[in-house]
Amino acid sequence: MTTLQPSRHTGAPDAFRPHQGVLLECRDFVSQRVREALARAVGELGDELKARRLGAKTADEAQKLIELQALLRGIGADIDRAFSAGFEDQFQERAKTSNVGGSFYEGENGFFPELSLVDETEIDETLAVKNLATRLERACEAENQDLQTRVAFMLGESDIDNATNPIGPTAICEALKDICWGQEASGGLRATALELLIGRLAGELSTVYHDVNSLLVARRVMPNVRPRARRGKASERMAVRKSATLPGEPDPSDVVKEIFTARAAAAERAGWRQRAGTVELMQLLDGLQQGRGDMEFGGQNFALPSDGQISGNVINALIEAGLSKQASSVDGIVIDVVATLFDYIFDDSRVPDAMKGLIGRLQIPVLKLAMMDHGFFSNRTHPARRLINLLAQASVTWDGPLSEDSSLYRIAEGIVVRIQNQFADEPSIFAGCLQEFENYLVEQERYADARAATLTERLRERERIDLARKLGEDALSAHLGNEDIPDVVRDFIRDTWTRVLGHAALEVGATTAPVRSERWAGAMAAVDELVWSVLPKQSMEERQRMVKQLPVILRNLKASMTGAGIEEASQKAFFSELVKCHAAALKAPVAPVPAPVRSAPNAPARPSGPLPGLQPIGEEPTPEMLELDLLTRGSWLELRDESGEVRRVRLTWISPARTMYLFANRQGQRALALTRTELARRFASGEASTADQEPLLDRVVDDVLDELRG
């Protein structure tokens, strides 16, 4: 395992604060691991080329292998320094959001088992790098996608692509290309060397990015990146459909673009019945939805389970039976896309299986709706999309197992059954079911808030007490930092006098300085006099003054403690210790030169630097504090206990000064109050994280669209 080294670069751009240090740490980690892999690759390739040269059948082949060996030796001689510097340059260019444009092209040039050198006149450096970067991306697709999401977050961007990821495969390829192209050799040899090295990296980069993601989770950078479903089915279906497209039929890619646009959706709502074969196809789907068997379409029979219990992606089964081939080109593409949407939904690990089963029972109604109204794909506020999103989100935030006995399951099942039984060609039923489910969720949250609200007054009072005590601690910081004061008196100031000052602040409702109160002013004067009285008296003048003022000092102390409700026994215990402190102060040796007269007994020296507990001016907030500041009422959190069990709770109340947070689960049970300090600790340790609240179907549609565009 590679040891993470501190960042050696301090001039990085400000674009990714406050995660600047973490991103630099990731840069150095990737750089180090790739350099290690390249050093191994150079050695291994040298041995393989030597063996291949000994078996060369022609002098020309042997000569090319000798030249390639020499080139790799030249690359390996300075690979550590050269890649470190080159990767740093690529990182800086991308961290400043410079964009390397262009598109990838397909095709790969293999070296083994048959040597094939690229002719120099055919080399396009940009395309070569992007081709090889694509190979790297494919080798670590899942890890790279998660990493890309986290890097975008650290850069302050909503999204980045592979070309702009400062620690992505393209940056690695560009840095390595510059090294190869800096060698004295023909273009064909340099291109072959680059391809060989990239081929070796492809086998290791997945592990590197996996470890970087683990590092970022440990650093609390998006520990819950949204899960990505298995990719590939959308592009596979599109490739099959393109290969079967007849002359005169629309290009499937153009149809996909159309159904994902609002303009096309508006036209389809009125004209779906005019598409050839769509009415007949809808009649087939109506029969399947109602559980009828042996439905015919296009001369073929189609059926679903007669008991109505739909399991898995039934649209896939219909496609395999030939449904999309019998449909028109537009309807066939809609069938393919809807099938892919449900593939992604079923692959989402965060949605409980029980809810996947209910959503799965909506496959035929959703397919019918999508054929009638392409706005289902383009409109994020479409009632059917919102309904599926809410069903999924409610299940993800359900605290504990979701079973058939759960109130959420019972309500959701009733809605699903209603759509199955009643939806024909009037989409308003989705809007009605959406309203019904929203009303249930609102009522559930209102119930949870009402139960949690029984604690808010106590928490508000606790916050006022804590803030008042903090005022006292800040006001007494100079005395608490004065090591000349006897320990027993400092303990008294910290434990008792903060209570006295807190009581004085609460009396006038103060939670921030300055506190304008006679009781506060009297308590501050009394503690200043106390401190003066226990410090060594090194002149006769001071001793005489102390003897004269001591009765007043003791009387003021007792009055302040009594007013704050300090127990009589505690007062007596302290005064018995105070007698010893005063005796020690009077026994101090007399100084030969009179000590400077103190300006006043109530004017303690001000401490240097920031007061304890206050954030110094200019100090950057931690990522945990930023997460806390982004929390709002209604935010969902996942809390993990020592056993690993996850609780999903909703933030129902934040105290006025944001020092207390009250949570409750969706069921309105197990309310939990956490201080800001404790919640920040849990975020830092990984025991708390914000729950993924991106709507399920929105991210699924985005993923499918991204795949089809790719």
Short mmCIF file of all heavy atoms in Angstrom, two decimals, residues 609-667:
data_model
loop_
_atom_site.label_atom_id
_atom_site.label_comp_id
_atom_site.label_asym_id
_atom_site.label_seq_id
_atom_site.Cartn_x
_atom_site.Cartn_y
_atom_site.Cartn_z
N GLY A 609 -4.26 36.78 21.53
CA GLY A 609 -4.79 35.75 20.63
C GLY A 609 -6.29 35.61 20.80
O GLY A 609 -6.92 36.29 21.61
N PRO A 610 -6.90 34.74 20.01
CA PRO A 610 -8.36 34.54 20.06
C PRO A 610 -8.78 33.89 21.36
O PRO A 610 -8.03 33.14 21.97
CB PRO A 610 -8.63 33.62 18.86
CG PRO A 610 -7.33 32.90 18.65
CD PRO A 610 -6.25 33.87 19.04
N LEU A 611 -9.98 34.21 21.79
CA LEU A 611 -10.51 33.59 22.99
C LEU A 611 -10.77 32.12 22.75
O LEU A 611 -11.11 31.71 21.64
CB LEU A 611 -11.81 34.29 23.40
CG LEU A 611 -11.67 35.76 23.81
CD1 LEU A 611 -13.05 36.32 24.12
CD2 LEU A 611 -10.75 35.93 25.00
N PRO A 612 -10.63 31.30 23.78
CA PRO A 612 -10.91 29.86 23.60
C PRO A 612 -12.33 29.66 23.09
O PRO A 612 -13.27 30.28 23.55
CB PRO A 612 -10.72 29.30 25.01
CG PRO A 612 -9.85 30.29 25.72
CD PRO A 612 -10.19 31.63 25.13
N GLY A 613 -12.46 28.76 22.13
CA GLY A 613 -13.77 28.42 21.62
C GLY A 613 -14.24 29.29 20.48
O GLY A 613 -15.24 29.00 19.85
N LEU A 614 -13.53 30.40 20.22
CA LEU A 614 -13.91 31.25 19.10
C LEU A 614 -13.02 30.94 17.91
O LEU A 614 -11.83 30.70 18.05
CB LEU A 614 -13.77 32.73 19.47
CG LEU A 614 -14.69 33.23 20.58
CD1 LEU A 614 -14.47 34.72 20.78
CD2 LEU A 614 -16.14 32.96 20.24
N GLN A 615 -13.61 30.97 16.72
CA GLN A 615 -12.85 30.67 15.50
C GLN A 615 -12.02 31.88 15.13
O GLN A 615 -12.54 32.98 14.98
CB GLN A 615 -13.82 30.34 14.37
CG GLN A 615 -13.12 29.98 13.08
CD GLN A 615 -14.13 29.56 12.05
OE1 GLN A 615 -14.80 28.55 12.20
NE2 GLN A 615 -14.27 30.33 11.00
N PRO A 616 -10.68 31.74 14.98
CA PRO A 616 -9.86 32.88 14.60
C PRO A 616 -10.32 33.46 13.27
O PRO A 616 -10.80 32.75 12.39
CB PRO A 616 -8.46 32.27 14.47
CG PRO A 616 -8.51 31.01 15.26
CD PRO A 616 -9.92 30.52 15.15
N ILE A 617 -10.19 34.75 13.12
CA ILE A 617 -10.59 35.41 11.88
C ILE A 617 -9.78 34.85 10.72
O ILE A 617 -8.56 34.74 10.79
CB ILE A 617 -10.39 36.93 12.00
CG1 ILE A 617 -11.33 37.49 13.07
CG2 ILE A 617 -10.62 37.62 10.66
CD1 ILE A 617 -11.13 38.95 13.34
N GLY A 618 -10.46 34.49 9.65
CA GLY A 618 -9.77 33.98 8.48
C GLY A 618 -9.56 32.48 8.47
O GLY A 618 -9.09 31.94 7.49
N GLU A 619 -9.90 31.80 9.57
CA GLU A 619 -9.72 30.36 9.59
C GLU A 619 -10.75 29.70 8.68
O GLU A 619 -11.94 29.99 8.73
CB GLU A 619 -9.89 29.83 11.01
CG GLU A 619 -9.68 28.32 11.13
CD GLU A 619 -9.88 27.82 12.54
OE1 GLU A 619 -10.52 28.52 13.33
OE2 GLU A 619 -9.39 26.73 12.84
N GLU A 620 -10.29 28.79 7.82
CA GLU A 620 -11.20 28.11 6.90
C GLU A 620 -12.09 27.14 7.65
O GLU A 620 -11.61 26.39 8.50
CB GLU A 620 -10.42 27.36 5.83
CG GLU A 620 -9.90 28.26 4.73
CD GLU A 620 -9.44 27.44 3.55
OE1 GLU A 620 -9.65 26.22 3.55
OE2 GLU A 620 -8.87 28.03 2.63
N PRO A 621 -13.38 27.13 7.35
CA PRO A 621 -14.24 26.13 7.98
C PRO A 621 -13.90 24.74 7.48
O PRO A 621 -13.42 24.57 6.36
CB PRO A 621 -15.64 26.55 7.54
CG PRO A 621 -15.42 27.29 6.26
CD PRO A 621 -14.10 27.98 6.42
N THR A 622 -14.13 23.75 8.32
CA THR A 622 -13.87 22.37 7.92
C THR A 622 -14.99 21.89 7.00
O THR A 622 -16.09 22.45 7.01
CB THR A 622 -13.79 21.46 9.15
OG1 THR A 622 -15.08 21.46 9.79
CG2 THR A 622 -12.74 21.96 10.13
N PRO A 623 -14.75 20.82 6.22
CA PRO A 623 -15.84 20.28 5.40
C PRO A 623 -17.05 19.88 6.22
O PRO A 623 -18.18 20.02 5.79
CB PRO A 623 -15.18 19.06 4.73
CG PRO A 623 -13.72 19.40 4.68
CD PRO A 623 -13.45 20.18 5.94
N GLU A 624 -16.80 19.38 7.46
CA GLU A 624 -17.92 18.98 8.31
C GLU A 624 -18.78 20.18 8.68
O GLU A 624 -20.01 20.11 8.69
CB GLU A 624 -17.41 18.30 9.58
CG GLU A 624 -16.71 16.98 9.35
CD GLU A 624 -15.31 17.15 8.80
OE1 GLU A 624 -14.63 18.12 9.18
OE2 GLU A 624 -14.89 16.32 7.98
N MET A 625 -18.12 21.33 9.00
CA MET A 625 -18.88 22.52 9.33
C MET A 625 -19.67 23.04 8.13
O MET A 625 -20.80 23.52 8.26
CB MET A 625 -17.93 23.61 9.85
CG MET A 625 -17.33 23.31 11.22
SD MET A 625 -18.62 23.07 12.48
CE MET A 625 -17.62 22.70 13.93
N LEU A 626 -19.07 22.93 6.95
CA LEU A 626 -19.80 23.34 5.75
C LEU A 626 -21.03 22.47 5.54
O LEU A 626 -22.10 22.96 5.16
CB LEU A 626 -18.88 23.24 4.53
CG LEU A 626 -17.76 24.28 4.43
CD1 LEU A 626 -16.88 24.00 3.23
CD2 LEU A 626 -18.34 25.69 4.34
N GLU A 627 -20.90 21.17 5.78
CA GLU A 627 -22.05 20.27 5.64
C GLU A 627 -23.14 20.66 6.63
O GLU A 627 -24.33 20.65 6.29
CB GLU A 627 -21.62 18.82 5.86
CG GLU A 627 -20.87 18.22 4.70
CD GLU A 627 -20.73 16.72 4.80
OE1 GLU A 627 -21.62 16.00 4.33
OE2 GLU A 627 -19.72 16.28 5.36
N LEU A 628 -22.75 21.01 7.85
CA LEU A 628 -23.74 21.41 8.85
C LEU A 628 -24.46 22.69 8.41
O LEU A 628 -25.67 22.83 8.58
CB LEU A 628 -23.07 21.64 10.20
CG LEU A 628 -22.53 20.41 10.94
CD1 LEU A 628 -22.01 20.81 12.30
CD2 LEU A 628 -23.61 19.35 11.10
N ASP A 629 -23.70 23.63 7.85
CA ASP A 629 -24.31 24.90 7.45
C ASP A 629 -25.27 24.73 6.28
O ASP A 629 -26.15 25.57 6.07
CB ASP A 629 -23.21 25.91 7.08
CG ASP A 629 -22.40 26.35 8.29
OD1 ASP A 629 -22.92 26.23 9.42
OD2 ASP A 629 -21.25 26.78 8.12
N LEU A 630 -25.09 23.65 5.50
CA LEU A 630 -25.98 23.40 4.37
C LEU A 630 -27.26 22.67 4.78
O LEU A 630 -28.19 22.58 3.99
CB LEU A 630 -25.25 22.59 3.29
CG LEU A 630 -24.12 23.32 2.56
CD1 LEU A 630 -23.38 22.35 1.65
CD2 LEU A 630 -24.66 24.49 1.76
N LEU A 631 -27.29 22.14 6.00
CA LEU A 631 -28.48 21.42 6.45
C LEU A 631 -29.65 22.39 6.63
O LEU A 631 -29.49 23.48 7.16
CB LEU A 631 -28.21 20.70 7.77
CG LEU A 631 -27.24 19.52 7.74
CD1 LEU A 631 -27.07 18.95 9.14
CD2 LEU A 631 -27.73 18.44 6.80
N THR A 632 -30.81 21.98 6.19
CA THR A 632 -32.02 22.77 6.37
C THR A 632 -33.11 21.85 6.91
O THR A 632 -32.99 20.62 6.86
CB THR A 632 -32.50 23.38 5.05
OG1 THR A 632 -32.74 22.33 4.10
CG2 THR A 632 -31.48 24.34 4.48
N ARG A 633 -34.15 22.45 7.43
CA ARG A 633 -35.26 21.66 7.94
C ARG A 633 -35.81 20.80 6.81
O ARG A 633 -36.13 21.28 5.73
CB ARG A 633 -36.35 22.59 8.49
CG ARG A 633 -37.46 21.88 9.21
CD ARG A 633 -38.38 22.88 9.88
NE ARG A 633 -39.52 22.21 10.50
CZ ARG A 633 -40.65 21.92 9.89
NH1 ARG A 633 -40.81 22.24 8.61
NH2 ARG A 633 -41.63 21.31 10.52
N GLY A 634 -35.92 19.50 7.06
CA GLY A 634 -36.36 18.57 6.04
C GLY A 634 -35.23 17.76 5.43
O GLY A 634 -35.49 16.80 4.70
N SER A 635 -33.96 18.13 5.72
CA SER A 635 -32.83 17.36 5.20
C SER A 635 -32.83 15.96 5.82
O SER A 635 -33.15 15.79 7.00
CB SER A 635 -31.51 18.06 5.54
OG SER A 635 -31.41 19.31 4.90
N TRP A 636 -32.43 14.99 5.02
CA TRP A 636 -32.36 13.61 5.49
C TRP A 636 -30.91 13.22 5.73
O TRP A 636 -30.03 13.54 4.95
CB TRP A 636 -32.97 12.65 4.46
CG TRP A 636 -34.46 12.70 4.45
CD1 TRP A 636 -35.25 13.50 3.67
CD2 TRP A 636 -35.36 11.94 5.26
NE1 TRP A 636 -36.57 13.28 3.94
CE2 TRP A 636 -36.68 12.32 4.92
CE3 TRP A 636 -35.17 10.97 6.25
CZ2 TRP A 636 -37.79 11.76 5.52
CZ3 TRP A 636 -36.28 10.41 6.85
CH2 TRP A 636 -37.58 10.81 6.49
N LEU A 637 -30.69 12.51 6.86
CA LEU A 637 -29.36 12.03 7.21
C LEU A 637 -29.39 10.53 7.42
O LEU A 637 -30.44 9.96 7.75
CB LEU A 637 -28.87 12.68 8.51
CG LEU A 637 -27.90 13.86 8.37
CD1 LEU A 637 -28.56 15.00 7.61
CD2 LEU A 637 -27.44 14.35 9.75
N GLU A 638 -28.24 9.91 7.22
CA GLU A 638 -28.05 8.51 7.59
C GLU A 638 -27.07 8.46 8.75
O GLU A 638 -25.96 8.99 8.65
CB GLU A 638 -27.51 7.71 6.40
CG GLU A 638 -28.51 7.56 5.27
CD GLU A 638 -28.00 6.66 4.16
OE1 GLU A 638 -26.80 6.32 4.17
OE2 GLU A 638 -28.81 6.29 3.29
N LEU A 639 -27.49 7.86 9.85
CA LEU A 639 -26.67 7.75 11.05
C LEU A 639 -26.32 6.28 11.26
O LEU A 639 -27.20 5.42 11.26
CB LEU A 639 -27.43 8.28 12.27
CG LEU A 639 -27.92 9.73 12.18
CD1 LEU A 639 -28.70 10.10 13.43
CD2 LEU A 639 -26.75 10.70 11.99
N ARG A 640 -25.02 6.02 11.44
CA ARG A 640 -24.54 4.64 11.62
C ARG A 640 -24.10 4.45 13.06
O ARG A 640 -23.38 5.29 13.60
CB ARG A 640 -23.37 4.35 10.68
CG ARG A 640 -23.76 4.33 9.21
CD ARG A 640 -22.54 4.35 8.30
NE ARG A 640 -22.95 4.32 6.90
CZ ARG A 640 -23.38 5.37 6.22
NH1 ARG A 640 -23.46 6.54 6.81
NH2 ARG A 640 -23.73 5.26 4.95
N ASP A 641 -24.54 3.34 13.66
CA ASP A 641 -24.08 3.05 15.02
C ASP A 641 -22.86 2.14 14.96
O ASP A 641 -22.35 1.82 13.88
CB ASP A 641 -25.21 2.43 15.86
CG ASP A 641 -25.72 1.12 15.26
OD1 ASP A 641 -24.99 0.48 14.47
OD2 ASP A 641 -26.85 0.71 15.61
N GLU A 642 -22.38 1.73 16.13
CA GLU A 642 -21.16 0.93 16.19
C GLU A 642 -21.30 -0.41 15.49
O GLU A 642 -20.32 -0.97 14.99
CB GLU A 642 -20.76 0.71 17.66
CG GLU A 642 -20.36 1.99 18.37
CD GLU A 642 -19.99 1.74 19.81
OE1 GLU A 642 -20.13 0.58 20.27
OE2 GLU A 642 -19.55 2.68 20.49
N SER A 643 -22.51 -0.94 15.42
CA SER A 643 -22.72 -2.24 14.77
C SER A 643 -22.85 -2.11 13.26
O SER A 643 -22.93 -3.12 12.56
CB SER A 643 -23.99 -2.91 15.33
OG SER A 643 -25.14 -2.16 14.97
N GLY A 644 -22.89 -0.87 12.75
CA GLY A 644 -23.04 -0.66 11.32
C GLY A 644 -24.47 -0.46 10.89
O GLY A 644 -24.73 -0.20 9.71
N GLU A 645 -25.43 -0.58 11.81
CA GLU A 645 -26.84 -0.37 11.47
C GLU A 645 -27.06 1.10 11.10
O GLU A 645 -26.52 2.01 11.73
CB GLU A 645 -27.74 -0.74 12.64
CG GLU A 645 -29.22 -0.57 12.34
CD GLU A 645 -30.09 -0.88 13.54
OE1 GLU A 645 -29.54 -1.30 14.58
OE2 GLU A 645 -31.32 -0.69 13.44
N VAL A 646 -27.84 1.31 10.04
CA VAL A 646 -28.09 2.65 9.54
C VAL A 646 -29.49 3.10 9.92
O VAL A 646 -30.47 2.38 9.72
CB VAL A 646 -27.93 2.70 8.01
CG1 VAL A 646 -28.29 4.09 7.48
CG2 VAL A 646 -26.50 2.34 7.62
N ARG A 647 -29.57 4.28 10.50
CA ARG A 647 -30.86 4.92 10.77
C ARG A 647 -31.03 6.08 9.82
O ARG A 647 -30.10 6.87 9.61
CB ARG A 647 -30.92 5.45 12.21
CG ARG A 647 -31.09 4.41 13.28
CD ARG A 647 -31.35 5.10 14.61
NE ARG A 647 -32.52 5.95 14.55
CZ ARG A 647 -32.85 6.86 15.48
NH1 ARG A 647 -32.07 7.02 16.53
NH2 ARG A 647 -33.93 7.59 15.36
N ARG A 648 -32.20 6.22 9.23
CA ARG A 648 -32.49 7.34 8.34
C ARG A 648 -33.43 8.30 9.06
O ARG A 648 -34.54 7.92 9.43
CB ARG A 648 -33.09 6.83 7.03
CG ARG A 648 -32.10 5.97 6.25
CD ARG A 648 -32.73 5.35 5.03
NE ARG A 648 -31.75 4.54 4.29
CZ ARG A 648 -31.48 3.26 4.55
NH1 ARG A 648 -32.13 2.65 5.52
NH2 ARG A 648 -30.58 2.61 3.85
N VAL A 649 -32.95 9.51 9.28
CA VAL A 649 -33.71 10.48 10.07
C VAL A 649 -33.80 11.80 9.32
O VAL A 649 -32.96 12.14 8.49
CB VAL A 649 -33.05 10.70 11.45
CG1 VAL A 649 -33.15 9.45 12.31
CG2 VAL A 649 -31.59 11.12 11.31
N ARG A 650 -34.84 12.54 9.64
CA ARG A 650 -35.12 13.83 8.99
C ARG A 650 -34.92 14.95 10.00
O ARG A 650 -35.33 14.84 11.16
CB ARG A 650 -36.56 13.82 8.48
CG ARG A 650 -37.04 15.11 7.85
CD ARG A 650 -38.44 14.90 7.27
NE ARG A 650 -39.08 16.14 6.92
CZ ARG A 650 -39.86 16.83 7.75
NH1 ARG A 650 -40.08 16.36 8.98
NH2 ARG A 650 -40.41 17.95 7.36
N LEU A 651 -34.28 16.01 9.55
CA LEU A 651 -34.06 17.17 10.41
C LEU A 651 -35.38 17.93 10.56
O LEU A 651 -35.90 18.49 9.60
CB LEU A 651 -32.98 18.07 9.80
CG LEU A 651 -32.62 19.34 10.58
CD1 LEU A 651 -32.17 19.01 12.00
CD2 LEU A 651 -31.53 20.11 9.84
N THR A 652 -35.92 17.93 11.77
CA THR A 652 -37.23 18.56 12.00
C THR A 652 -37.12 19.94 12.64
O THR A 652 -38.07 20.71 12.58
CB THR A 652 -38.09 17.67 12.91
OG1 THR A 652 -37.51 17.62 14.22
CG2 THR A 652 -38.20 16.26 12.35
N TRP A 653 -35.99 20.24 13.26
CA TRP A 653 -35.87 21.53 13.96
C TRP A 653 -34.40 21.87 14.15
O TRP A 653 -33.58 20.99 14.41
CB TRP A 653 -36.57 21.43 15.32
CG TRP A 653 -36.50 22.68 16.17
CD1 TRP A 653 -37.26 23.79 16.07
CD2 TRP A 653 -35.60 22.91 17.27
NE1 TRP A 653 -36.91 24.70 17.04
CE2 TRP A 653 -35.89 24.18 17.80
CE3 TRP A 653 -34.59 22.15 17.87
CZ2 TRP A 653 -35.20 24.71 18.88
CZ3 TRP A 653 -33.90 22.68 18.95
CH2 TRP A 653 -34.21 23.95 19.45
N ILE A 654 -34.07 23.16 13.96
CA ILE A 654 -32.73 23.68 14.24
C ILE A 654 -32.90 24.81 15.23
O ILE A 654 -33.76 25.69 15.05
CB ILE A 654 -32.04 24.20 12.97
CG1 ILE A 654 -32.04 23.13 11.87
CG2 ILE A 654 -30.61 24.63 13.26
CD1 ILE A 654 -31.49 23.63 10.54
N SER A 655 -32.12 24.83 16.28
CA SER A 655 -32.24 25.86 17.30
C SER A 655 -31.86 27.23 16.72
O SER A 655 -31.16 27.30 15.70
CB SER A 655 -31.35 25.53 18.49
OG SER A 655 -29.98 25.55 18.12
N PRO A 656 -32.33 28.31 17.34
CA PRO A 656 -32.09 29.65 16.79
C PRO A 656 -30.61 29.95 16.52
O PRO A 656 -30.29 30.58 15.51
CB PRO A 656 -32.66 30.58 17.88
CG PRO A 656 -33.73 29.76 18.53
CD PRO A 656 -33.22 28.35 18.52
N ALA A 657 -29.72 29.50 17.38
CA ALA A 657 -28.29 29.76 17.18
C ALA A 657 -27.58 28.62 16.47
O ALA A 657 -26.35 28.62 16.37
CB ALA A 657 -27.62 30.02 18.53
N ARG A 658 -28.32 27.63 15.97
CA ARG A 658 -27.80 26.48 15.23
C ARG A 658 -26.77 25.69 16.05
O ARG A 658 -25.79 25.17 15.52
CB ARG A 658 -27.16 26.90 13.90
CG ARG A 658 -28.14 27.52 12.91
CD ARG A 658 -27.49 27.77 11.56
NE ARG A 658 -27.25 26.55 10.83
CZ ARG A 658 -28.11 25.99 9.99
NH1 ARG A 658 -29.28 26.56 9.77
NH2 ARG A 658 -27.81 24.88 9.35
N THR A 659 -27.03 25.58 17.35
CA THR A 659 -26.16 24.74 18.18
C THR A 659 -26.82 23.41 18.51
O THR A 659 -26.16 22.52 19.03
CB THR A 659 -25.80 25.44 19.50
OG1 THR A 659 -26.96 25.54 20.33
CG2 THR A 659 -25.23 26.83 19.24
N MET A 660 -28.13 23.28 18.22
CA MET A 660 -28.87 22.05 18.52
C MET A 660 -29.67 21.64 17.28
O MET A 660 -30.27 22.49 16.61
CB MET A 660 -29.83 22.26 19.70
CG MET A 660 -29.16 22.67 21.00
SD MET A 660 -28.21 21.34 21.74
CE MET A 660 -29.49 20.13 22.04
N TYR A 661 -29.67 20.32 17.01
CA TYR A 661 -30.39 19.78 15.86
C TYR A 661 -31.27 18.64 16.35
O TYR A 661 -30.80 17.75 17.06
CB TYR A 661 -29.42 19.27 14.80
CG TYR A 661 -28.51 20.33 14.21
CD1 TYR A 661 -27.39 20.78 14.92
CD2 TYR A 661 -28.77 20.88 12.96
CE1 TYR A 661 -26.56 21.76 14.38
CE2 TYR A 661 -27.95 21.84 12.42
CZ TYR A 661 -26.85 22.29 13.13
OH TYR A 661 -26.03 23.25 12.61
N LEU A 662 -32.53 18.66 15.94
CA LEU A 662 -33.48 17.63 16.36
C LEU A 662 -33.90 16.82 15.14
O LEU A 662 -34.33 17.38 14.12
CB LEU A 662 -34.71 18.26 17.01
CG LEU A 662 -35.78 17.30 17.53
CD1 LEU A 662 -35.21 16.39 18.62
CD2 LEU A 662 -36.98 18.08 18.05
N PHE A 663 -33.79 15.50 15.25
CA PHE A 663 -34.11 14.60 14.15
C PHE A 663 -35.20 13.63 14.59
O PHE A 663 -35.34 13.32 15.77
CB PHE A 663 -32.87 13.79 13.73
CG PHE A 663 -31.72 14.62 13.26
CD1 PHE A 663 -30.74 15.07 14.15
CD2 PHE A 663 -31.59 14.97 11.92
CE1 PHE A 663 -29.68 15.84 13.72
CE2 PHE A 663 -30.53 15.73 11.48
CZ PHE A 663 -29.57 16.17 12.38
N ALA A 664 -35.94 13.13 13.60
CA ALA A 664 -36.91 12.06 13.83
C ALA A 664 -36.99 11.24 12.55
O ALA A 664 -36.73 11.75 11.46
CB ALA A 664 -38.28 12.61 14.21
N ASN A 665 -37.37 9.98 12.67
CA ASN A 665 -37.48 9.15 11.47
C ASN A 665 -38.82 9.41 10.78
O ASN A 665 -39.67 10.15 11.29
CB ASN A 665 -37.28 7.67 11.77
CG ASN A 665 -38.34 7.11 12.71
OD1 ASN A 665 -39.34 7.76 13.00
ND2 ASN A 665 -38.12 5.91 13.18
N ARG A 666 -39.01 8.82 9.61
CA ARG A 666 -40.22 9.07 8.83
C ARG A 666 -41.47 8.64 9.60
O ARG A 666 -42.54 9.22 9.43
CB ARG A 666 -40.14 8.34 7.49
CG ARG A 666 -41.34 8.60 6.60
CD ARG A 666 -41.15 8.04 5.21
NE ARG A 666 -40.22 8.81 4.42
CZ ARG A 666 -40.52 9.97 3.83
NH1 ARG A 666 -41.71 10.51 4.01
NH2 ARG A 666 -39.63 10.60 3.10
N GLN A 667 -41.31 7.63 10.45
CA GLN A 667 -42.45 7.13 11.20
C GLN A 667 -42.81 8.01 12.39
O GLN A 667 -43.76 7.73 13.10
CB GLN A 667 -42.17 5.71 11.69
CG GLN A 667 -41.99 4.70 10.56
CD GLN A 667 -40.54 4.52 10.15
OE1 GLN A 667 -39.86 5.47 9.82
NE2 GLN A 667 -40.06 3.28 10.17
#
